[in-house]
Amino acid sequence: MSRGVYKWATLLFSLLSTSVFAEGKSMPLNLTKGASDISAQVYDLHMIIFIICAVIGVVVFGAMFVSMLLHRKSRGVTPANFHESTTVEIIWTIIPFIILIGVAIPAANTLIAMEDPSEAEVSIVVTGSQWKWHYKYMDNDVEYYSLLATQQEQIYNKFEKGENYLLEVDRPLVIPTGKKVRFLITSDDVIHSWWVPAFAVKKDANPGFINEAWTNVNEPGVYRGQCAELCGKDHGFMPIVVIAKDPADYQIWVDEQQAIQLAAKEEEQKLLAMNMEMDELMSVGEKVYTSSCAACHQGSGEGLPGIFPALKGSPIALGDVSKHIDVVVSGVSGTAMQAFGKQLSLKELAAVITYERNAWGNSTGDTVQAKDVNAIVKGQ
Amino acid sequence: MSSVAEEVHHDDDHHDHHHTPGIKRWLYTTNHKDIGTLYLWFAFIMFLVGGAMAMVIRAELFQPGMQIVEPNFFNQMTTVHGLVMVFGAVMPAFTGLANWMVPMMIGAPDMALPRMNNWSFWILPFAFLILLSSLFLEGGGPNFGWTFYAPLSTTFSNDSTALFVFSVHIMGASSIMGAINVIVTIMNMRAPGMTYMKMPMFVWTWFITAFLLIAVMPVLAGAVTMVLTDKFFGTSFFNAAGGGDPVMFQHIFWFFGHPEVYIMILPAFGIISHIVPAFARKPLFGYASMVYATASIALLSFIVWAHHMFTTGMPVVAELFFMIATMLISVPTGVKVFNWVATMWRGAMTFEVPMLFALAFIVLFTIGGLSGLMLAITPVDFQYHDTYFVVAHFHYVLVTGAIFSIMAAAYYWLPKWTGKMFDIKLAQWHFWCSLISVNLLFFPMHFVGLAGMPRRIPDYALQFADFNKWISLGGFAFGLSQLIFLALLIKACRKKGDSVPARVWEGAEGLEWEVPSPAPYHTFETPPVIK
Ligand SMILES: [Cu+2]
Ligand SMILES: [Cu+2]
């Protein structure tokens, strides 16, 4: 190898190895058996069809390479002239056919089992929206949104990326092990797809329709997935995290959540009688804005021209307060602007609206209180 | 039917062999060879444009984190890359080859409808001008994927969607006109004695492709029109709130989309069926079964569309039906591959550049076909769907399939077109660089997909970093390799190189090798007689 080439090669290699191997997380090179019986069956099917394909590949390419080696003009061969053989052609039509039937049967069995969500013990409504998941437990008073937890600073390379970069959420879904858990999957806006590879569950969330899927997880653990259907700008940023707990722990968790959600409701009632200070509203508002609004309207409030309007200097953010509250609470139907009334608490709504009216030079000086928001919510 | 061939049309009575000079020659031309050249250059330019977008995508994905572009622009890149490559590069390239070769292969003087031929080409640049200019509007161009699923492309898209719809309409009109021309030419203008079962494979595959085009391009036109009215005129075809169904969009789209993938591969099968016998010096094995296999693939392609939609939530019976129908398609496709290998078997092979591309096609297309078979198995498709495994699959069939076959065809017929042998050294560089880089680019995608990386994301979890780095490097190398091809083509168009005889390749068969090289401006003004 000449010196020049060698130098380039070492340079390239060091470039790759420093940045690549420093990340230090390795990736499985195949599907995994997953966490349920079904996912193990799917894995087996994958291996069967893969091996069949590999064998076909070896036979076909083998014949081809032998021919390329032996039947080349440079070896002085004279070409044969055959160009037909009905027997051979029938054989190589029939054999693949038989192989296919052999695969189709186990595949059909697995498929039928996967598509039978009956007799589930736990049912959870999974709703996708731009760009978060909402989980609602049918049998308990528990529901919440689950958002990406990775900081923007990591995404924009200002902070070091954490271990579960882009695969972490603020509030994971929790399910019991050893029980058939049914997911009722739908969407509030565009099509999303709820995918957890370890369960072999990937089902589209279609607006206006409900799809069913189910799993029965064998081992407690943390399972991660992602939205699998292009759903707009932040499609790459709506992960799924599921924690499987054994049934006793699961029950404890459910009770806890019910208590917390009840307490939050009582808290809201108290808030209606109180006024919050501007400083507090602004600091809470900024947090809410960053997690719920910045994906579209941007941290700077300037939006994305032509797609998401700017709130900085927007007539709504500077104009009539009740109109502003109304837009945020009920959304704008037929656009990406969602109804946040059911997503955020009264306090959060009040805070984020106050924030929008006083940030980025929108100095209206207005404070919006929980009771103001409540008046509009009730007024509907 | 062959008696029709006697009434050879003469609507270009003047027969002048001097064409109008300058740009007007190209604007006004009705000559199938000129129009073929226009199509081919247009396709190549679009290939570079779409490739540049792929470079943006791969540059962003080189490392985890957002570095170069914003997510919204990334989505525009994936969308427009797909549209440009499918409608701007692959399809016009095949139409260009059909224009050049079909009349020469069947012994006809030109295409049957030369004026429509001019029109079908010249509306294309405008379609792409409109599409590409939408990228520069406020809010950007289409960002909903080349599959433009509703309601992302309707309620949730920006106003440039109107331009997208309009440009797709023009592309569709162009394709339909091209297809009509091919069918009319083949049915009416074959030389006396050329029965259907004597037609060269490229003619056969294009004949069938043209019927597919006429069948499905109107469906695409319907889909984009419904998107347009849903977005701008208050209809609710795909809007559940108004009684519509977003999944219906996918059924309509893929009813077009699946035959579309065969539109992009059947002519490739034809090309390979010419090149392999030529360089194996042995007739094509199983000509008749090749024809029947092509026809059955085309027919089956209408009943498999929902294999793109297994995760949308269909009844189990439907899933089983589409799984089995899809698996069935692999039988005639397998027959094709077996026939090519049998053609090579006990031939006397040489490995000129067209043959190198053809051999690479057979191996790599087969890899793409086998991963397609894996994708057909519904329960496992749930795991593969919308991951990089699918991206790997369709790039194997489209890049190392369709595009490699186009390159093979270009090298095979270029000396016939220019009368000069192309620069063989450059061509070999082009082949080997492309072969190595394209596999570095697409092979690791299989693993990334199996490990769980979704497609169409601008940023990814850290575990995928190593592989994405290699994929991006492969991508850049493949992109650069195409500049070798550009250099070679420019050299070829300037008629550099050694002159070649009429039969450029020792083992080549067919009427196109009977006419001198370069092929004269008008060929077969008196039809040859086929025995
Ligand atoms: Cu998504
Ligand atoms: Cu398909």
Side-chain angles (χ1 to χ4, degrees):
Chain A
M1 206 190 291
S2 77
R3 280 190 70 86
V5 176
Y6 183 75
K7 253 166 106 186
W8 273 104
T10 32
L11 185 78
L12 191 71
F13 187 76
S14 54
L15 188 116
L16 289 171
S17 48
T18 45
S19 45
V20 166
F21 300 113
E23 322 265 17
K25 251 201 130 182
S26 67
M27 161 189 112
L29 291 179
N30 197 354
L31 288 186
T32 54
K33 279 191 178 294
S36 69
D37 294 350
I38 286 283
S39 67
Q41 277 183 39
V42 167
Y43 171 82
D44 291 340
L45 271 173
H46 159 74
M47 287 316 286
I48 293 173
I49 185 74
F50 170 69
I51 289 166
I52 290 175
C53 288
V55 171
I56 297 174
V58 166
V59 171
V60 174
F61 303 150
M64 193 171 145
F65 288 130
V66 167
S67 177
M68 282 162 64
L69 218 61
L70 298 181
H71 310 143
R72 48 165 75 219
K73 197 183 170 205
S74 55
R75 288 171 49 105
V77 294
T78 35
N81 197 33
F82 66 87
H83 53 82
E84 236 166 15
S85 163
T86 316
T87 339
V88 174
E89 290 174 57
I90 290 179
I91 291 175
W92 67 38
T93 313
I94 303 251
I95 292 183
F97 207 78
I98 295 172
I99 298 175
L100 292 183
I101 295 174
V103 186
I105 292 168
N109 287 335
T110 305
L111 181 63
I112 290 165
M114 288 174 99
E115 297 288 6
D116 172 21
S118 61
E119 287 163 41
E121 292 168 83
V122 177
S123 293
I124 301 168
V125 181
V126 176
T127 311
S129 63
Q130 285 181 326
W131 295 284
K132 52 194 171 256
W133 294 101
H134 178 259
Y135 300 117
K136 180 175 165 56
Y137 290 73
M138 299 270 277
D139 320 301
N140 309 93
D141 220 0
V142 175
E143 63 176 295
Y144 53 88
Y145 279 90
S146 175
L147 276 81
L148 173 73
T150 304
Q151 303 144 296
Q152 289 295 311
E153 288 84 352
Q154 289 189 24
I155 296 173
Y156 285 91
N157 310 305
K158 300 210 177 67
F159 295 174
E160 183 128 6
K161 296 181 174 37
E163 193 195 347
N164 293 312
Y165 177 69
L166 296 188
L167 296 179
E168 51 199 347
V169 297
D170 55 352
R171 302 185 69 185
L173 176 68
V174 177
I175 60 171
T177 55
K179 286 191 174 165
K180 189 161 181 175
V181 180
R182 178 171 66 139
F183 305 107
L184 298 159
I185 301 170
T186 183
S187 165
D188 278 340
D189 41 42
V190 298
I191 300 175
H192 305 266
S193 192
W194 198 78
W195 179 33
V196 180
F199 305 162
V201 170
K202 182 187 286 149
K203 206 50 138 198
D204 289 2
N206 298 320
F209 294 82
I210 294 177
N211 269 330
E212 285 183 298
W214 66 274
T215 189
N216 190 338
V217 179
N218 295 324
E219 290 298 321
V222 182
Y223 302 101
R224 293 171 202 275
Q226 278 177 274
C227 175
E229 179 63 61
L230 178 63
C231 54
K233 175 169 110 21
D234 282 353
H235 162 58
F237 304 93
M238 55 181 288
I240 295 154
V241 180
V242 183
I243 299 182
K245 293 181 188 271
D246 60 48
D249 290 347
Y250 171 75
Q251 200 49 51
I252 295 173
W253 178 85
V254 170
D255 295 341
E256 227 173 65
Q257 294 305 310
Q258 270 174 318
I260 292 173
Q261 300 212 341
L262 206 68
K265 271 186 196 141
E266 280 164 13
E267 174 79 2
E268 287 241 316
Q269 291 307 313
K270 277 191 221 144
L271 265 176
L272 292 179
M274 300 193 307
N275 275 342
M276 284 166 73
E277 292 300 322
M278 176 65 114
D279 287 351
E280 197 193 350
L281 283 166
M282 285 298 278
S283 77
V284 176
E286 184 172 5
K287 280 200 201 88
V288 177
Y289 183 83
T290 309
S291 64
S292 301
C293 322
C296 296
H297 295 291
Q298 305 296 296
S300 63
E302 285 164 1
L304 291 178
I307 310 176
F308 304 120
L311 297 178
K312 179 181 176 179
S314 125
I316 294 200
L318 297 177
D320 178 26
V321 181
S322 54
K323 181 86 185 70
H324 189 174
I325 298 176
D326 185 48
V327 166
V328 178
V329 168
S330 346
V332 183
S333 76
T335 75
M337 181 62 198
Q338 306 160 358
F340 285 93
K342 60 185 169 103
Q343 299 188 22
L344 301 172
S345 68
L346 292 174
K347 175 179 163 187
E348 287 167 331
L349 287 164
V352 76
I353 294 165
T354 307
Y355 179 76
E356 286 178 351
R357 300 183 75 79
N358 295 287
W360 328 293
N362 282 3
S363 34
T364 58
D366 298 342
T367 54
V368 178
Q369 300 296 344
K371 59 174 177 291
D372 304 330
V373 178
N374 193 46
I376 303 256
V377 173
K378 287 279 142 54
Q380 289 169 349
Chain B
M1 219 28 199
S2 56
S3 63
V4 183
E6 279 139 38
E7 39 171 297
V8 175
H9 300 282
H10 276 275
D11 51 348
D12 262 345
D13 287 320
H14 46 282
H15 280 287
D16 65 334
H17 288 255
H18 323 273
H19 11 79
T20 357
I23 182 78
K24 280 190 180 168
R25 162 177 176 192
W26 298 104
L27 278 175
Y28 298 161
T29 185
T30 53
N31 178 287
H32 73 106
K33 299 186 180 79
D34 280 353
I35 295 174
T37 307
L38 285 171
Y39 264 112
L40 287 167
W41 270 110
F42 178 77
F44 189 64
I45 292 165
M46 284 297 126
F47 178 56
L48 297 181
V49 170
M53 293 175 189
M55 297 298 105
V56 175
I57 295 170
R58 283 323 315 176
E60 179 56 57
L61 293 173
F62 186 67
Q63 282 180 352
M66 298 304 302
Q67 283 90 19
I68 299 171
V69 295
E70 286 297 311
N72 186 46
F73 189 71
F74 183 91
N75 288 346
Q76 293 172 48
M77 286 293 103
T78 54
T79 305
V80 183
H81 162 76
L83 291 166
V84 164
M85 288 305 200
V86 168
F87 296 103
V90 174
M91 291 171 64
F94 280 133
T95 314
L97 290 170
N99 257 291
W100 252 103
M101 302 318 299
V102 167
M104 287 210 298
M105 285 178 160
I106 61 173
D110 203 314
M111 297 294 277
L113 308 164
R115 284 176 215 282
M116 188 164 88
N117 207 8
N118 170 292
W119 185 232
S120 76
F121 172 76
W122 274 112
I123 59 177
L124 261 191
F126 294 96
F128 283 90
L129 223 60
I130 292 170
L131 179 67
L132 294 173
S133 66
S134 74
L135 287 172
F136 300 99
L137 295 180
E138 194 181 71
N143 56 8
F144 29 67
W146 85 278
T147 50
F148 60 105
Y149 279 10
L152 190 59
S153 60
T154 56
T155 316
F156 295 85
S157 68
N158 63 36
D159 289 348
S160 73
T161 307
L163 294 182
F164 158 80
V165 169
F166 189 42
S167 77
V168 171
H169 270 308
I170 302 177
M171 294 171 203
S174 161
S175 294
I176 291 175
M177 286 194 270
I180 291 175
N181 219 339
V182 167
I183 292 176
V184 177
T185 306
I186 295 174
M187 287 180 63
N188 296 306
M189 295 179 69
R190 279 169 291 128
M194 181 172 283
T195 59
Y196 277 107
M197 286 315 271
K198 279 189 189 160
M199 281 191 328
M201 274 314 293
F202 182 67
V203 179
W204 251 119
T205 51
W206 239 113
F207 191 49
I208 294 172
T209 301
F211 280 104
L212 287 183
L213 276 167
I214 290 181
V216 302
M217 292 315 279
V219 180
L220 176 67
V224 290
T225 307
M226 286 187 263
V227 162
L228 187 79
T229 59
D230 264 19
K231 175 150 186 67
F232 294 103
F233 304 112
T235 57
S236 294
F237 292 108
F238 310 129
N239 177 4
D245 181 353
V247 176
M248 185 177 74
F249 171 84
Q250 298 177 34
H251 283 291
I252 297 171
F253 178 82
W254 287 113
F255 187 81
F256 146 79
H258 194 84
E260 170 68 16
V261 309
Y262 288 101
I263 287 166
M264 293 190 284
I265 205 65
L266 295 184
F269 291 167
I271 290 164
I272 302 304
S273 304
H274 284 252
I275 294 176
V276 170
F279 296 95
R281 293 170 180 72
K282 200 169 146 271
L284 180 67
F285 186 87
Y287 169 86
S289 68
M290 285 299 220
V291 172
Y292 298 137
T294 312
S296 19
I297 292 173
L299 286 177
L300 284 171
S301 77
F302 285 106
I303 55 162
V304 296
W305 76 88
H307 64 206
H308 299 268
M309 306 167 48
F310 284 142
T311 63
T312 53
M314 272 185 281
V316 195
V317 193
E319 287 179 326
L320 285 173
F321 171 81
F322 285 108
M323 171 173 89
I324 290 171
T326 306
M327 291 168 85
L328 272 183
I329 279 205
S330 67
V331 175
T333 313
V335 167
K336 297 229 146 221
V337 175
F338 300 148
N339 281 352
W340 291 321
V341 175
T343 307
M344 285 179 234
W345 194 256
R346 291 187 43 217
M349 264 187 274
T350 50
F351 302 95
E352 286 86 345
V353 177
M355 183 63 161
L356 291 177
F357 272 101
L359 293 172
F361 170 97
I362 297 176
V363 173
L364 301 175
F365 170 78
T366 305
I367 292 178
L370 291 170
S371 61
L373 181 57
M374 296 174 74
L375 284 158
I377 315 294
T378 314
V380 232
D381 175 78
F382 293 154
Q383 294 285 51
Y384 307 143
H385 177 71
D386 268 340
T387 70
Y388 264 80
F389 191 82
V390 176
V391 180
H393 158 71
F394 69 74
H395 282 93
Y396 263 86
V397 292
L398 281 176
V399 179
T400 60
I403 291 182
F404 267 35
S405 82
I406 292 165
M407 288 172 178
Y411 284 118
Y412 187 55
W413 285 310
L414 198 55
K416 171 57 64 187
W417 300 336
T418 63
K420 307 282 178 190
M421 183 49 76
F422 50 80
D423 185 330
I424 295 178
K425 268 266 130 13
L426 270 187
Q428 281 168 338
W429 271 101
H430 174 224
F431 172 74
W432 289 107
C433 290
S434 297
L435 180 72
I436 295 167
S437 58
V438 87
N439 282 293
L440 181 59
L441 166 58
F442 296 124
F443 204 74
M445 286 186 182
H446 291 112
F447 299 109
V448 180
L450 292 178
M453 178 166 161
R455 64 191 282 207
R456 293 166 163 170
I457 56 174
D459 193 8
Y460 47 81
L462 299 183
Q463 50 174 333
F464 307 125
D466 301 16
F467 272 70
N468 271 288
K469 189 150 290 188
W470 287 107
I471 292 169
S472 286
L473 288 173
F476 303 144
F478 186 68
L480 288 175
S481 310
Q482 302 324 308
L483 299 182
I484 308 178
F485 192 35
L486 175 64
L488 181 142
L489 289 175
I490 291 174
K491 242 178 127 178
C493 285
R494 290 177 157 182
K495 314 247 171 177
K496 298 268 167 60
D498 303 332
S499 296
V500 290
R503 188 175 305 277
V504 177
W505 313 102
E506 189 189 32
E509 297 283 349
L511 287 177
E512 77 264 35
W513 307 109
E514 313 280 325
V515 300
S517 307
Y521 200 54
H522 296 287
T523 37
F524 295 123
E525 281 167 281
T526 32
V529 177
I530 316 290
K531 281 160 270 122

